[in-house]
Amino acid sequence: MIEHIDMSLVDWSRAQFALTAIYHWIFVPLTLGLSFIVAMMETIYVRTGNEEWKRLTRFWMTLFGINFAIGVATGIILEFEFGTNWSNYSWFVGDIFGAPLAIEGILAFFLESTFVAVMFFGWNKVSKKFHLASTWLVAIGANLSALWILVANAWMQNPVGMMFNPDTARNEMINFWAVLFNPVAIDKFLHTISSGFLLASVFVMGISSWFLLKKREEWMAQRSILITAIFGLLSSLMVAFTGDSSARTIAKVQPVKFAALEAHYNGKQNAGLVAFGILKDSDKKIGDKKVKDFAFKIEIPGFLSVLTEGDKNAFVPGINDLVMGGVAEYKGLTVADKMQRGTDAKDVLNDYKRAKLVNNKEQLEFIKEYFRSKNFIEENLKYFGYAFLDLPEDAIPNVSVSFYSFHIMVILGFFFILVCTLSLILVLRGTLLKNRWFLRIVLISIPLVYIASESGWILAEMGRQPWIIQDLMPVTVAVSQISTGSVMTTFILFAILFTALLIAEVSIMIKQIKTGPKL
Amino acid sequence: MMIKRNYFLPLYKVIHFYYDGFRNMSSWGKKVWVIIIIKLFIIFAVLKIFFFPDFLQKKFDTDSKRSEYVIDQLTNSPE
């Protein structure tokens, strides 16, 4: 462990990043999904020439514009935080983030900014087809921007395609395609954008339900529900499919996170999947950490084994096995093993530093070559971050947060499949207006879909603790040695700024919704 | 003279497009632009300058010094 580490500094820096990311993520998924919904509606307008569709498109485009404008640049603050609060991490990451973030910046600026102007200023000034093309390009551009950010995040969850340079203390990208096609990146991108599509669909259905409850704009509301029920249903199925794929990938590359999200402590064959559960503290411990137990659970027998290996007899290691070992079925390395390997890697880096101090060129070349050797990378360097852990149990994330965020996300995910299916059935049968109870459920689904979306990110980021870069760098090493007071001050500033932005967004949106569609 | 006018025509059209768009903006559009400007000012002119200097850029002059510092951090022997 770094000797002078101040845990309150780490905690405040993490809290600040979490606050910024959670607020940023309020704006992003609606932009991702609503852009496509608006594009689909405008396509119908251009194909049919029906002015009602234009009116409807412009209404949802207004809400898209408010959300887009309020949310724009909120992500930049995260980059500020990297440079100020997480400087060791930013340096260590090297040029890995450079290429994806540069592409994101160029795409976001040129594609989105240019065509967003055509979307809002171009009605009756450019041709219908050019306007439609601009709307589609905004949707595609927004989602492609998300790709590059998610590629960068996926690298932190599963670092690939790079080589560590001991001379600069930076990772250098040696395979762009390995970074881009990182299995975590593919799963994460598809899961994230489809969840954005679902969120926007529920948002549109919820507001349309409000219009129906108020007996206003019935034509517009029912058409909006029809489109978004189809889009939302397809998206929710894609969310489930990509979530399943994502879970399989996590089981391979972040097994402790996978075990934590199910509160699966002791590995077994025919392991069951907990569909619903309530955790409680138990008397058992792993090292110094208390083990959670179930006060109540509903389990699907064998399903966790099927989910991970496609075989109900497969052994699924638990947190205990992964951290402490001692179970014959688990053949992998324990955290204690990885700590030794990581410490060996750190010793070699120390040797390099000493050789540099005395300018021993022969030794420097030898160690540099050693850092490039496949054997050293696979056997030691891969576990570099474990050298900074004090105890094996430090590798365990917060099990309660991981478990509940995962289950809230999944339960709500299935709830939205039901909501979209019922919406579609009722609107096709023409009985939506009669079922006011259902319209109320759809309306209250709006905050629920945001909770589901944020839960996904809480799981992704809290579940991978203590790592900022999986197995390579824990958060305690990544943090800058700045004063805790300054981090607390900016935390409060951000809380005020983002809350003000959110209030502004919600109040302007509510006003526009109450005004309703105009031509 | 003709060539010069044709050359600037697309640029003029683009500028006019934006000018016209901003001039005829709806009330919600004006409100969000005020918010955008205030927000960008706070982010870039206040937060970035006074609260978020780049830690390593500010502390060291050269990349080699930054590397040395991070290696010290990674090898548990801060200077």
PDB file of all heavy atoms in Angstrom, chain A residues 30 34 37 59-60 63-64 67 196-210 228 416 442-443 445-447 449-450 505 509 513:
ATOM      1  N   LEU A  30     -31.279   9.097 -22.468  1.00  0.00           N
ATOM      2  CA  LEU A  30     -32.448   9.664 -23.154  1.00  0.00           C
ATOM      3  C   LEU A  30     -32.033  10.208 -24.523  1.00  0.00           C
ATOM      4  O   LEU A  30     -32.761  10.047 -25.512  1.00  0.00           O
ATOM      5  CB  LEU A  30     -33.084  10.759 -22.292  1.00  0.00           C
ATOM      6  CG  LEU A  30     -34.412  11.303 -22.804  1.00  0.00           C
ATOM      7  CD1 LEU A  30     -35.472  10.202 -22.876  1.00  0.00           C
ATOM      8  CD2 LEU A  30     -34.932  12.436 -21.917  1.00  0.00           C
ATOM      9  N   LEU A  34     -33.954   8.647 -27.555  1.00  0.00           N
ATOM     10  CA  LEU A  34     -34.957   9.561 -28.119  1.00  0.00           C
ATOM     11  C   LEU A  34     -34.555  10.028 -29.522  1.00  0.00           C
ATOM     12  O   LEU A  34     -35.415  10.280 -30.368  1.00  0.00           O
ATOM     13  CB  LEU A  34     -35.151  10.752 -27.167  1.00  0.00           C
ATOM     14  CG  LEU A  34     -36.434  11.578 -27.338  1.00  0.00           C
ATOM     15  CD1 LEU A  34     -37.674  10.699 -27.351  1.00  0.00           C
ATOM     16  CD2 LEU A  34     -36.558  12.623 -26.229  1.00  0.00           C
ATOM     17  N   ILE A  37     -35.949   7.481 -31.792  1.00  0.00           N
ATOM     18  CA  ILE A  37     -37.424   7.528 -31.820  1.00  0.00           C
ATOM     19  C   ILE A  37     -37.898   8.700 -32.694  1.00  0.00           C
ATOM     20  O   ILE A  37     -38.793   8.550 -33.530  1.00  0.00           O
ATOM     21  CB  ILE A  37     -37.980   7.622 -30.380  1.00  0.00           C
ATOM     22  CG1 ILE A  37     -37.706   6.297 -29.645  1.00  0.00           C
ATOM     23  CG2 ILE A  37     -39.471   7.942 -30.372  1.00  0.00           C
ATOM     24  CD1 ILE A  37     -37.953   6.332 -28.153  1.00  0.00           C
ATOM     25  N   PHE A  59     -42.668  17.739 -31.484  1.00  0.00           N
ATOM     26  CA  PHE A  59     -42.886  17.745 -30.033  1.00  0.00           C
ATOM     27  C   PHE A  59     -41.792  16.937 -29.321  1.00  0.00           C
ATOM     28  O   PHE A  59     -41.149  17.420 -28.382  1.00  0.00           O
ATOM     29  CB  PHE A  59     -44.271  17.176 -29.701  1.00  0.00           C
ATOM     30  CG  PHE A  59     -44.495  16.997 -28.227  1.00  0.00           C
ATOM     31  CD1 PHE A  59     -44.617  18.092 -27.383  1.00  0.00           C
ATOM     32  CD2 PHE A  59     -44.557  15.719 -27.660  1.00  0.00           C
ATOM     33  CE1 PHE A  59     -44.809  17.932 -26.014  1.00  0.00           C
ATOM     34  CE2 PHE A  59     -44.746  15.557 -26.287  1.00  0.00           C
ATOM     35  CZ  PHE A  59     -44.870  16.662 -25.471  1.00  0.00           C
ATOM     36  N   TRP A  60     -41.567  15.697 -29.790  1.00  0.00           N
ATOM     37  CA  TRP A  60     -40.550  14.857 -29.127  1.00  0.00           C
ATOM     38  C   TRP A  60     -39.148  15.406 -29.381  1.00  0.00           C
ATOM     39  O   TRP A  60     -38.251  15.250 -28.563  1.00  0.00           O
ATOM     40  CB  TRP A  60     -40.673  13.403 -29.586  1.00  0.00           C
ATOM     41  CG  TRP A  60     -41.974  12.785 -29.127  1.00  0.00           C
ATOM     42  CD1 TRP A  60     -42.998  12.361 -29.904  1.00  0.00           C
ATOM     43  CD2 TRP A  60     -42.396  12.569 -27.766  1.00  0.00           C
ATOM     44  NE1 TRP A  60     -44.032  11.887 -29.131  1.00  0.00           N
ATOM     45  CE2 TRP A  60     -43.683  11.996 -27.809  1.00  0.00           C
ATOM     46  CE3 TRP A  60     -41.811  12.795 -26.515  1.00  0.00           C
ATOM     47  CZ2 TRP A  60     -44.399  11.661 -26.663  1.00  0.00           C
ATOM     48  CZ3 TRP A  60     -42.509  12.454 -25.372  1.00  0.00           C
ATOM     49  CH2 TRP A  60     -43.796  11.897 -25.451  1.00  0.00           C
ATOM     50  N   LEU A  63     -38.357  17.922 -26.703  1.00  0.00           N
ATOM     51  CA  LEU A  63     -37.910  17.311 -25.447  1.00  0.00           C
ATOM     52  C   LEU A  63     -36.485  16.757 -25.598  1.00  0.00           C
ATOM     53  O   LEU A  63     -35.665  16.849 -24.678  1.00  0.00           O
ATOM     54  CB  LEU A  63     -38.873  16.206 -25.006  1.00  0.00           C
ATOM     55  CG  LEU A  63     -40.322  16.640 -24.765  1.00  0.00           C
ATOM     56  CD1 LEU A  63     -41.114  15.537 -24.069  1.00  0.00           C
ATOM     57  CD2 LEU A  63     -40.421  17.918 -23.937  1.00  0.00           C
ATOM     58  N   PHE A  64     -36.201  16.205 -26.784  1.00  0.00           N
ATOM     59  CA  PHE A  64     -34.835  15.742 -27.065  1.00  0.00           C
ATOM     60  C   PHE A  64     -33.855  16.919 -26.969  1.00  0.00           C
ATOM     61  O   PHE A  64     -32.790  16.810 -26.361  1.00  0.00           O
ATOM     62  CB  PHE A  64     -34.775  15.116 -28.473  1.00  0.00           C
ATOM     63  CG  PHE A  64     -33.364  14.895 -28.969  1.00  0.00           C
ATOM     64  CD1 PHE A  64     -32.648  13.766 -28.585  1.00  0.00           C
ATOM     65  CD2 PHE A  64     -32.747  15.813 -29.806  1.00  0.00           C
ATOM     66  CE1 PHE A  64     -31.339  13.574 -29.019  1.00  0.00           C
ATOM     67  CE2 PHE A  64     -31.449  15.628 -30.250  1.00  0.00           C
ATOM     68  CZ  PHE A  64     -30.743  14.505 -29.860  1.00  0.00           C
ATOM     69  N   ASN A  67     -33.168  18.051 -23.344  1.00  0.00           N
ATOM     70  CA  ASN A  67     -32.285  17.086 -22.664  1.00  0.00           C
ATOM     71  C   ASN A  67     -30.856  17.163 -23.206  1.00  0.00           C
ATOM     72  O   ASN A  67     -29.885  17.147 -22.452  1.00  0.00           O
ATOM     73  CB  ASN A  67     -32.861  15.675 -22.856  1.00  0.00           C
ATOM     74  CG  ASN A  67     -32.022  14.623 -22.165  1.00  0.00           C
ATOM     75  OD1 ASN A  67     -31.954  14.585 -20.944  1.00  0.00           O
ATOM     76  ND2 ASN A  67     -31.370  13.784 -22.929  1.00  0.00           N
ATOM     77  N   GLY A 196     -30.529   2.421 -23.319  1.00  0.00           N
ATOM     78  CA  GLY A 196     -30.898   3.812 -23.636  1.00  0.00           C
ATOM     79  C   GLY A 196     -32.153   3.859 -24.497  1.00  0.00           C
ATOM     80  O   GLY A 196     -33.037   4.699 -24.289  1.00  0.00           O
ATOM     81  N   PHE A 197     -32.245   2.931 -25.465  1.00  0.00           N
ATOM     82  CA  PHE A 197     -33.444   2.866 -26.323  1.00  0.00           C
ATOM     83  C   PHE A 197     -34.670   2.545 -25.462  1.00  0.00           C
ATOM     84  O   PHE A 197     -35.739   3.124 -25.638  1.00  0.00           O
ATOM     85  CB  PHE A 197     -33.314   1.768 -27.389  1.00  0.00           C
ATOM     86  CG  PHE A 197     -32.178   1.972 -28.360  1.00  0.00           C
ATOM     87  CD1 PHE A 197     -31.734   0.926 -29.168  1.00  0.00           C
ATOM     88  CD2 PHE A 197     -31.535   3.195 -28.481  1.00  0.00           C
ATOM     89  CE1 PHE A 197     -30.702   1.098 -30.065  1.00  0.00           C
ATOM     90  CE2 PHE A 197     -30.486   3.375 -29.372  1.00  0.00           C
ATOM     91  CZ  PHE A 197     -30.072   2.325 -30.165  1.00  0.00           C
ATOM     92  N   LEU A 198     -34.482   1.599 -24.537  1.00  0.00           N
ATOM     93  CA  LEU A 198     -35.601   1.213 -23.663  1.00  0.00           C
ATOM     94  C   LEU A 198     -36.011   2.380 -22.769  1.00  0.00           C
ATOM     95  O   LEU A 198     -37.203   2.659 -22.612  1.00  0.00           O
ATOM     96  CB  LEU A 198     -35.191  -0.006 -22.813  1.00  0.00           C
ATOM     97  CG  LEU A 198     -36.197  -0.461 -21.765  1.00  0.00           C
ATOM     98  CD1 LEU A 198     -37.522  -0.870 -22.404  1.00  0.00           C
ATOM     99  CD2 LEU A 198     -35.643  -1.626 -20.949  1.00  0.00           C
ATOM    100  N   LEU A 199     -35.002   3.057 -22.203  1.00  0.00           N
ATOM    101  CA  LEU A 199     -35.308   4.192 -21.314  1.00  0.00           C
ATOM    102  C   LEU A 199     -36.115   5.261 -22.062  1.00  0.00           C
ATOM    103  O   LEU A 199     -37.133   5.742 -21.564  1.00  0.00           O
ATOM    104  CB  LEU A 199     -34.005   4.779 -20.767  1.00  0.00           C
ATOM    105  CG  LEU A 199     -34.165   5.947 -19.800  1.00  0.00           C
ATOM    106  CD1 LEU A 199     -33.170   5.843 -18.637  1.00  0.00           C
ATOM    107  CD2 LEU A 199     -33.980   7.300 -20.481  1.00  0.00           C
ATOM    108  N   ALA A 200     -35.674   5.575 -23.271  1.00  0.00           N
ATOM    109  CA  ALA A 200     -36.379   6.607 -24.043  1.00  0.00           C
ATOM    110  C   ALA A 200     -37.786   6.147 -24.412  1.00  0.00           C
ATOM    111  O   ALA A 200     -38.730   6.939 -24.415  1.00  0.00           O
ATOM    112  CB  ALA A 200     -35.577   6.953 -25.288  1.00  0.00           C
ATOM    113  N   SER A 201     -37.924   4.849 -24.704  1.00  0.00           N
ATOM    114  CA  SER A 201     -39.251   4.322 -25.052  1.00  0.00           C
ATOM    115  C   SER A 201     -40.200   4.458 -23.870  1.00  0.00           C
ATOM    116  O   SER A 201     -41.355   4.883 -24.026  1.00  0.00           O
ATOM    117  CB  SER A 201     -39.147   2.842 -25.455  1.00  0.00           C
ATOM    118  OG  SER A 201     -38.322   2.707 -26.581  1.00  0.00           O
ATOM    119  N   VAL A 202     -39.717   4.085 -22.678  1.00  0.00           N
ATOM    120  CA  VAL A 202     -40.561   4.186 -21.478  1.00  0.00           C
ATOM    121  C   VAL A 202     -40.877   5.660 -21.195  1.00  0.00           C
ATOM    122  O   VAL A 202     -42.002   5.998 -20.806  1.00  0.00           O
ATOM    123  CB  VAL A 202     -39.875   3.499 -20.273  1.00  0.00           C
ATOM    124  CG1 VAL A 202     -40.662   3.723 -18.990  1.00  0.00           C
ATOM    125  CG2 VAL A 202     -39.722   2.000 -20.527  1.00  0.00           C
ATOM    126  N   PHE A 203     -39.895   6.529 -21.423  1.00  0.00           N
ATOM    127  CA  PHE A 203     -40.094   7.980 -21.236  1.00  0.00           C
ATOM    128  C   PHE A 203     -41.236   8.481 -22.135  1.00  0.00           C
ATOM    129  O   PHE A 203     -42.154   9.160 -21.678  1.00  0.00           O
ATOM    130  CB  PHE A 203     -38.764   8.680 -21.575  1.00  0.00           C
ATOM    131  CG  PHE A 203     -38.806  10.182 -21.536  1.00  0.00           C
ATOM    132  CD1 PHE A 203     -38.629  10.865 -20.341  1.00  0.00           C
ATOM    133  CD2 PHE A 203     -39.001  10.923 -22.700  1.00  0.00           C
ATOM    134  CE1 PHE A 203     -38.641  12.256 -20.303  1.00  0.00           C
ATOM    135  CE2 PHE A 203     -39.022  12.307 -22.673  1.00  0.00           C
ATOM    136  CZ  PHE A 203     -38.847  12.978 -21.471  1.00  0.00           C
ATOM    137  N   VAL A 204     -41.169   8.103 -23.413  1.00  0.00           N
ATOM    138  CA  VAL A 204     -42.202   8.545 -24.365  1.00  0.00           C
ATOM    139  C   VAL A 204     -43.556   7.928 -24.007  1.00  0.00           C
ATOM    140  O   VAL A 204     -44.583   8.615 -24.010  1.00  0.00           O
ATOM    141  CB  VAL A 204     -41.795   8.192 -25.824  1.00  0.00           C
ATOM    142  CG1 VAL A 204     -42.943   8.453 -26.798  1.00  0.00           C
ATOM    143  CG2 VAL A 204     -40.562   8.991 -26.235  1.00  0.00           C
ATOM    144  N   MET A 205     -43.547   6.641 -23.664  1.00  0.00           N
ATOM    145  CA  MET A 205     -44.815   5.984 -23.301  1.00  0.00           C
ATOM    146  C   MET A 205     -45.416   6.618 -22.050  1.00  0.00           C
ATOM    147  O   MET A 205     -46.630   6.795 -21.964  1.00  0.00           O
ATOM    148  CB  MET A 205     -44.588   4.483 -23.068  1.00  0.00           C
ATOM    149  CG  MET A 205     -44.388   3.703 -24.348  1.00  0.00           C
ATOM    150  SD  MET A 205     -44.568   1.930 -24.100  1.00  0.00           S
ATOM    151  CE  MET A 205     -43.096   1.560 -23.222  1.00  0.00           C
ATOM    152  N   GLY A 206     -44.559   6.958 -21.086  1.00  0.00           N
ATOM    153  CA  GLY A 206     -45.027   7.559 -19.832  1.00  0.00           C
ATOM    154  C   GLY A 206     -45.680   8.914 -20.065  1.00  0.00           C
ATOM    155  O   GLY A 206     -46.768   9.177 -19.554  1.00  0.00           O
ATOM    156  N   ILE A 207     -45.016   9.751 -20.855  1.00  0.00           N
ATOM    157  CA  ILE A 207     -45.579  11.092 -21.113  1.00  0.00           C
ATOM    158  C   ILE A 207     -46.851  10.978 -21.961  1.00  0.00           C
ATOM    159  O   ILE A 207     -47.833  11.685 -21.719  1.00  0.00           O
ATOM    160  CB  ILE A 207     -44.515  11.995 -21.776  1.00  0.00           C
ATOM    161  CG1 ILE A 207     -43.423  12.292 -20.743  1.00  0.00           C
ATOM    162  CG2 ILE A 207     -45.133  13.304 -22.287  1.00  0.00           C
ATOM    163  CD1 ILE A 207     -42.197  12.933 -21.289  1.00  0.00           C
ATOM    164  N   SER A 208     -46.827  10.055 -22.913  1.00  0.00           N
ATOM    165  CA  SER A 208     -48.028   9.848 -23.732  1.00  0.00           C
ATOM    166  C   SER A 208     -49.190   9.366 -22.858  1.00  0.00           C
ATOM    167  O   SER A 208     -50.342   9.757 -23.071  1.00  0.00           O
ATOM    168  CB  SER A 208     -47.747   8.817 -24.838  1.00  0.00           C
ATOM    169  OG  SER A 208     -46.676   9.252 -25.626  1.00  0.00           O
ATOM    170  N   SER A 209     -48.868   8.531 -21.872  1.00  0.00           N
ATOM    171  CA  SER A 209     -49.911   8.060 -20.947  1.00  0.00           C
ATOM    172  C   SER A 209     -50.492   9.224 -20.154  1.00  0.00           C
ATOM    173  O   SER A 209     -51.694   9.250 -19.873  1.00  0.00           O
ATOM    174  CB  SER A 209     -49.334   7.024 -19.976  1.00  0.00           C
ATOM    175  OG  SER A 209     -48.912   5.905 -20.690  1.00  0.00           O
ATOM    176  N   TRP A 210     -49.630  10.158 -19.786  1.00  0.00           N
ATOM    177  CA  TRP A 210     -50.117  11.348 -19.070  1.00  0.00           C
ATOM    178  C   TRP A 210     -51.130  12.115 -19.929  1.00  0.00           C
ATOM    179  O   TRP A 210     -52.191  12.533 -19.454  1.00  0.00           O
ATOM    180  CB  TRP A 210     -48.922  12.248 -18.710  1.00  0.00           C
ATOM    181  CG  TRP A 210     -49.323  13.502 -18.000  1.00  0.00           C
ATOM    182  CD1 TRP A 210     -49.613  13.631 -16.674  1.00  0.00           C
ATOM    183  CD2 TRP A 210     -49.530  14.803 -18.582  1.00  0.00           C
ATOM    184  NE1 TRP A 210     -49.969  14.928 -16.384  1.00  0.00           N
ATOM    185  CE2 TRP A 210     -49.924  15.668 -17.539  1.00  0.00           C
ATOM    186  CE3 TRP A 210     -49.418  15.318 -19.874  1.00  0.00           C
ATOM    187  CZ2 TRP A 210     -50.202  17.026 -17.739  1.00  0.00           C
ATOM    188  CZ3 TRP A 210     -49.691  16.661 -20.079  1.00  0.00           C
ATOM    189  CH2 TRP A 210     -50.080  17.500 -19.029  1.00  0.00           C
ATOM    190  N   THR A 228     -43.229   3.417 -29.687  1.00  0.00           N
ATOM    191  CA  THR A 228     -42.260   3.148 -28.621  1.00  0.00           C
ATOM    192  C   THR A 228     -42.511   1.815 -27.917  1.00  0.00           C
ATOM    193  O   THR A 228     -41.577   1.264 -27.329  1.00  0.00           O
ATOM    194  CB  THR A 228     -42.226   4.304 -27.603  1.00  0.00           C
ATOM    195  OG1 THR A 228     -43.556   4.637 -27.226  1.00  0.00           O
ATOM    196  CG2 THR A 228     -41.536   5.519 -28.165  1.00  0.00           C
ATOM    197  N   PHE A 416     -40.147  -4.033 -17.488  1.00  0.00           N
ATOM    198  CA  PHE A 416     -40.327  -3.202 -18.689  1.00  0.00           C
ATOM    199  C   PHE A 416     -40.684  -4.040 -19.921  1.00  0.00           C
ATOM    200  O   PHE A 416     -41.376  -3.560 -20.811  1.00  0.00           O
ATOM    201  CB  PHE A 416     -39.086  -2.347 -18.957  1.00  0.00           C
ATOM    202  CG  PHE A 416     -38.827  -1.356 -17.869  1.00  0.00           C
ATOM    203  CD1 PHE A 416     -37.584  -1.274 -17.251  1.00  0.00           C
ATOM    204  CD2 PHE A 416     -39.842  -0.524 -17.415  1.00  0.00           C
ATOM    205  CE1 PHE A 416     -37.362  -0.386 -16.217  1.00  0.00           C
ATOM    206  CE2 PHE A 416     -39.628   0.371 -16.379  1.00  0.00           C
ATOM    207  CZ  PHE A 416     -38.383   0.444 -15.777  1.00  0.00           C
ATOM    208  N   VAL A 442     -47.628   3.012 -16.400  1.00  0.00           N
ATOM    209  CA  VAL A 442     -46.641   3.431 -17.414  1.00  0.00           C
ATOM    210  C   VAL A 442     -46.049   4.790 -17.020  1.00  0.00           C
ATOM    211  O   VAL A 442     -44.837   5.005 -17.152  1.00  0.00           O
ATOM    212  CB  VAL A 442     -47.272   3.490 -18.824  1.00  0.00           C
ATOM    213  CG1 VAL A 442     -46.219   3.904 -19.849  1.00  0.00           C
ATOM    214  CG2 VAL A 442     -47.855   2.143 -19.213  1.00  0.00           C
ATOM    215  N   LEU A 443     -46.893   5.667 -16.505  1.00  0.00           N
ATOM    216  CA  LEU A 443     -46.395   6.994 -16.104  1.00  0.00           C
ATOM    217  C   LEU A 443     -45.370   6.881 -14.968  1.00  0.00           C
ATOM    218  O   LEU A 443     -44.301   7.497 -15.034  1.00  0.00           O
ATOM    219  CB  LEU A 443     -47.576   7.877 -15.680  1.00  0.00           C
ATOM    220  CG  LEU A 443     -47.239   9.302 -15.237  1.00  0.00           C
ATOM    221  CD1 LEU A 443     -46.533  10.078 -16.338  1.00  0.00           C
ATOM    222  CD2 LEU A 443     -48.505  10.049 -14.813  1.00  0.00           C
ATOM    223  N   SER A 445     -43.538   4.477 -14.427  1.00  0.00           N
ATOM    224  CA  SER A 445     -42.361   3.717 -14.903  1.00  0.00           C
ATOM    225  C   SER A 445     -41.212   4.645 -15.292  1.00  0.00           C
ATOM    226  O   SER A 445     -40.069   4.185 -15.407  1.00  0.00           O
ATOM    227  CB  SER A 445     -42.740   2.861 -16.113  1.00  0.00           C
ATOM    228  OG  SER A 445     -43.651   1.877 -15.741  1.00  0.00           O
ATOM    229  N   ILE A 446     -41.506   5.936 -15.519  1.00  0.00           N
ATOM    230  CA  ILE A 446     -40.422   6.850 -15.942  1.00  0.00           C
ATOM    231  C   ILE A 446     -39.304   6.903 -14.890  1.00  0.00           C
ATOM    232  O   ILE A 446     -38.146   6.614 -15.216  1.00  0.00           O
ATOM    233  CB  ILE A 446     -40.952   8.262 -16.289  1.00  0.00           C
ATOM    234  CG1 ILE A 446     -41.891   8.185 -17.502  1.00  0.00           C
ATOM    235  CG2 ILE A 446     -39.802   9.214 -16.600  1.00  0.00           C
ATOM    236  CD1 ILE A 446     -42.542   9.519 -17.882  1.00  0.00           C
ATOM    237  N   PRO A 447     -39.596   7.214 -13.619  1.00  0.00           N
ATOM    238  CA  PRO A 447     -38.471   7.178 -12.657  1.00  0.00           C
ATOM    239  C   PRO A 447     -37.873   5.790 -12.496  1.00  0.00           C
ATOM    240  O   PRO A 447     -36.668   5.656 -12.265  1.00  0.00           O
ATOM    241  CB  PRO A 447     -39.110   7.674 -11.347  1.00  0.00           C
ATOM    242  CG  PRO A 447     -40.576   7.578 -11.529  1.00  0.00           C
ATOM    243  CD  PRO A 447     -40.839   7.705 -12.992  1.00  0.00           C
ATOM    244  N   VAL A 449     -37.372   3.503 -14.753  1.00  0.00           N
ATOM    245  CA  VAL A 449     -36.423   3.148 -15.817  1.00  0.00           C
ATOM    246  C   VAL A 449     -35.081   3.863 -15.598  1.00  0.00           C
ATOM    247  O   VAL A 449     -34.015   3.331 -15.930  1.00  0.00           O
ATOM    248  CB  VAL A 449     -37.023   3.408 -17.231  1.00  0.00           C
ATOM    249  CG1 VAL A 449     -36.998   4.864 -17.633  1.00  0.00           C
ATOM    250  CG2 VAL A 449     -36.330   2.560 -18.279  1.00  0.00           C
ATOM    251  N   TYR A 450     -35.147   5.059 -15.003  1.00  0.00           N
ATOM    252  CA  TYR A 450     -33.885   5.746 -14.653  1.00  0.00           C
ATOM    253  C   TYR A 450     -33.158   5.004 -13.534  1.00  0.00           C
ATOM    254  O   TYR A 450     -31.927   4.886 -13.548  1.00  0.00           O
ATOM    255  CB  TYR A 450     -34.162   7.204 -14.250  1.00  0.00           C
ATOM    256  CG  TYR A 450     -34.307   8.130 -15.449  1.00  0.00           C
ATOM    257  CD1 TYR A 450     -35.549   8.406 -15.985  1.00  0.00           C
ATOM    258  CD2 TYR A 450     -33.191   8.691 -16.041  1.00  0.00           C
ATOM    259  CE1 TYR A 450     -35.684   9.240 -17.094  1.00  0.00           C
ATOM    260  CE2 TYR A 450     -33.310   9.532 -17.141  1.00  0.00           C
ATOM    261  CZ  TYR A 450     -34.566   9.803 -17.661  1.00  0.00           C
ATOM    262  OH  TYR A 450     -34.672  10.618 -18.756  1.00  0.00           O
ATOM    263  N   GLU A 505     -33.815  21.391 -16.295  1.00  0.00           N
ATOM    264  CA  GLU A 505     -34.291  20.480 -17.342  1.00  0.00           C
ATOM    265  C   GLU A 505     -35.724  20.041 -17.084  1.00  0.00           C
ATOM    266  O   GLU A 505     -36.582  20.129 -17.956  1.00  0.00           O
ATOM    267  CB  GLU A 505     -33.385  19.247 -17.428  1.00  0.00           C
ATOM    268  CG  GLU A 505     -34.079  18.085 -18.153  1.00  0.00           C
ATOM    269  CD  GLU A 505     -33.180  17.119 -18.839  1.00  0.00           C
ATOM    270  OE1 GLU A 505     -31.969  17.329 -18.815  1.00  0.00           O
ATOM    271  OE2 GLU A 505     -33.695  16.166 -19.440  1.00  0.00           O
ATOM    272  N   MET A 509     -38.907  21.037 -19.335  1.00  0.00           N
ATOM    273  CA  MET A 509     -39.596  19.913 -19.989  1.00  0.00           C
ATOM    274  C   MET A 509     -41.059  19.866 -19.601  1.00  0.00           C
ATOM    275  O   MET A 509     -41.939  19.712 -20.446  1.00  0.00           O
ATOM    276  CB  MET A 509     -38.924  18.596 -19.596  1.00  0.00           C
ATOM    277  CG  MET A 509     -37.920  18.118 -20.608  1.00  0.00           C
ATOM    278  SD  MET A 509     -37.571  16.399 -20.349  1.00  0.00           S
ATOM    279  CE  MET A 509     -36.222  16.210 -21.491  1.00  0.00           C
ATOM    280  N   ILE A 513     -44.202  19.983 -22.019  1.00  0.00           N
ATOM    281  CA  ILE A 513     -45.155  18.870 -22.066  1.00  0.00           C
ATOM    282  C   ILE A 513     -46.575  19.406 -21.834  1.00  0.00           C
ATOM    283  O   ILE A 513     -47.513  19.042 -22.548  1.00  0.00           O
ATOM    284  CB  ILE A 513     -44.785  17.781 -21.022  1.00  0.00           C
ATOM    285  CG1 ILE A 513     -43.480  17.087 -21.430  1.00  0.00           C
ATOM    286  CG2 ILE A 513     -45.903  16.746 -20.887  1.00  0.00           C
ATOM    287  CD1 ILE A 513     -42.825  16.278 -20.339  1.00  0.00           C
TER     288      ILE A 513
END
